[in-house]
């Protein structure tokens, strides 16, 4: 089906070009062509509809669940087996590090996409990449999906979003409470580096030690309130120096 989808689009594209252009002159781009094809052959027949069923039997104690931003499906884009899929319904389980597709099959089932086939996806206007896709991430690093937050002049800054859970027993029932965590990764000078402390960052940018220290001092409130935003602003500042 993968090759059929790609080759069929190539063969049919020229034949339908003029009609397609007349009908969609304002949006004649790659996503429109692929969406047209996917709807024509029915989305349930696409190769992304392949994986284990997603299950979640959590009994939450609080309001925090296992998902990134929301447990509801949202439209997103997907790079899967070197092909693009657009406007598909996705949600991201950051506890299990599973990307979930709402299948168009009867019953609208939820499928954990095969991680080895997922290159990247975009959800809530954030781009995520699978750093294990081409085996480039060192084995001692936390694997899976990372938010590609910024691409600087000589680095790429990634954020790993994940959650840990705690089981709480009340009477005869077991409830779950989740806690958001993150990890920061910087690809520079041909290697991946963890930067979960100021000292680790200064080792990578020794010439900017004073400016990094000043930034930490002036933005300590933001660091305690929203560490991800703090690191995002810091990397943008370093890139501008």
């Amino acid at each position: 089906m993968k090759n059929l989808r790609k080759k069929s689009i190539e063969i049919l594209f020229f034949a339908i070009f003029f009609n397609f252009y007349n009908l969609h002159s304002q949006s004649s781009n790659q996503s429109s062509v692929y969406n047209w094809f996917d709807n024509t052959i029915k989305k349930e027949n696409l190769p992304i509809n392949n994986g284990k069923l997603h299950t979640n039997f959590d009994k939450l104690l609080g309001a925090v669940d296992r998902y990134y931003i929301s447990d509801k499906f949202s439209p997103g884009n997907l790079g899967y087996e070197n092909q693009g899929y657009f406007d598909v319904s996705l949600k991201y389980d950051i506890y299990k590090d599973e990307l979930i597709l709402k299948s168009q099959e009867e019953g609208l089932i939820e499928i954990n996409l095969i991680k080895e086939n997922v290159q990247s996806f975009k959800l809530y206007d954030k781009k995520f990449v699978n750093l294990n896709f081409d085996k480039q991430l060192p084995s001692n690093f936390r694997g899976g999906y990372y938010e590609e937050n910024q691409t600087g002049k000589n680095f790429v800054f990634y954020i790993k979003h994940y959650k840990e859970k705690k089981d709480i027993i009340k009477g005869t029932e077991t409830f779950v409470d989740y806690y958001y965590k993150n990890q920061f990764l910087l690809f520079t000078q041909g290697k991946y580096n963890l930067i979960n402390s100021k000292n680790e960052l200064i080792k990578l940018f020794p010439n900017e030690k004073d400016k990094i220290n000043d930034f930490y001092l002036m933005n300590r409130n933001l660091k305690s309130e929203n560490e991800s935003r703090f690191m995002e602003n810091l990397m943008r500042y370093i890139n501008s120096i």
Side-chain angles (χ1 to χ4, degrees):
M1 183 60 68
K2 176 178 69 173
N3 292 333
L4 171 64
R5 181 177 186 258
K6 186 174 182 179
K7 290 179 180 178
S8 296
I9 290 175
E10 292 172 350
I11 294 170
L12 292 174
F13 183 81
F14 181 78
I16 66 166
F17 176 77
F18 293 106
N19 287 334
F20 184 83
Y21 181 82
N22 290 334
L23 293 173
H24 303 278
S25 59
Q26 299 303 314
S27 60
S28 55
N29 51 36
Q30 185 186 40
S31 63
S32 298
V33 175
Y34 275 90
N35 283 339
W36 171 85
F37 182 82
D38 292 345
N39 288 324
T40 300
I41 67 168
K42 297 186 177 181
K43 289 186 176 181
E44 63 266 25
N45 295 321
L46 296 173
I48 55 174
N49 286 285
N50 188 16
K52 295 181 179 179
L53 293 179
H54 177 70
T55 57
N56 178 5
F57 302 108
D58 291 340
K59 290 183 178 180
L60 296 178
L61 186 64
V64 180
D65 56 39
R66 62 171 59 205
Y67 301 97
Y68 175 73
I69 296 186
S70 175
D71 64 344
K72 304 294 188 297
F73 283 95
S74 294
N77 299 337
L78 174 66
Y80 190 89
E81 292 188 308
N82 297 310
Q83 294 198 63
Y85 297 86
F86 303 89
D87 299 323
V88 292
S89 295
L90 301 172
K91 64 181 177 180
Y92 178 22
D93 178 348
I94 62 174
Y95 172 67
K96 289 289 190 180
D97 200 43
E98 296 284 0
L99 182 62
I100 304 145
L101 171 75
K102 183 166 71 172
S103 171
Q104 298 300 312
E105 294 181 4
E106 185 176 355
L108 296 177
I109 60 175
E110 302 181 9
I111 296 174
N112 289 339
L113 290 168
I114 300 173
K115 189 179 297 185
E116 292 77 10
N117 296 340
V118 178
Q119 294 157 282
S120 64
F121 63 93
K122 188 174 183 181
L123 189 62
Y124 299 110
D125 290 324
K126 299 290 186 180
K127 179 185 177 182
F128 292 83
V129 294
N130 182 3
L131 291 185
N132 289 116
F133 183 79
D134 54 6
K135 313 298 182 186
Q136 59 181 312
L137 196 66
S139 59
N140 60 325
F141 282 54
R142 183 180 289 271
Y145 302 118
Y146 280 73
E147 178 194 339
E148 188 178 286
N149 185 274
Q150 290 183 56
T151 300
K153 287 175 282 191
N154 58 358
F155 67 80
V156 183
F157 173 56
Y158 299 96
I159 301 176
K160 178 64 179 177
H161 303 278
Y162 66 100
K163 289 182 180 178
E164 295 179 350
K165 77 172 183 176
K166 181 179 181 181
D167 292 332
I168 301 172
I169 299 175
K170 287 197 168 189
T172 59
E173 293 188 282
T174 300
F175 295 87
V176 176
D177 209 2
Y178 284 99
Y179 303 89
Y180 173 77
K181 300 280 187 177
N182 54 38
Q183 192 174 69
F184 306 109
L185 202 63
L186 200 69
F187 181 78
T188 184
Q189 300 173 12
K191 63 180 294 189
Y192 290 94
N193 306 270
L194 288 172
I195 52 168
N196 283 321
S197 75
K198 180 173 65 173
N199 288 337
E200 289 169 337
L201 190 60
I202 289 173
K203 286 181 182 178
L204 296 173
F205 302 101
N207 295 333
E208 315 303 337
K209 178 179 178 179
D210 291 341
K211 293 178 181 178
I212 291 172
N213 281 326
D214 290 343
F215 189 93
Y216 268 81
L217 182 63
M218 291 185 294
N219 295 275
R220 54 190 175 188
N221 289 338
L222 177 60
K223 186 178 186 302
S224 63
E225 295 168 1
N226 190 329
E227 192 175 20
S228 292
R229 182 65 58 82
F230 170 85
M231 290 300 299
E232 182 177 348
N233 291 348
L234 174 57
M235 297 313 303
R236 188 177 294 112
Y237 172 67
I238 290 174
N239 189 53
S240 69
I241 296 173

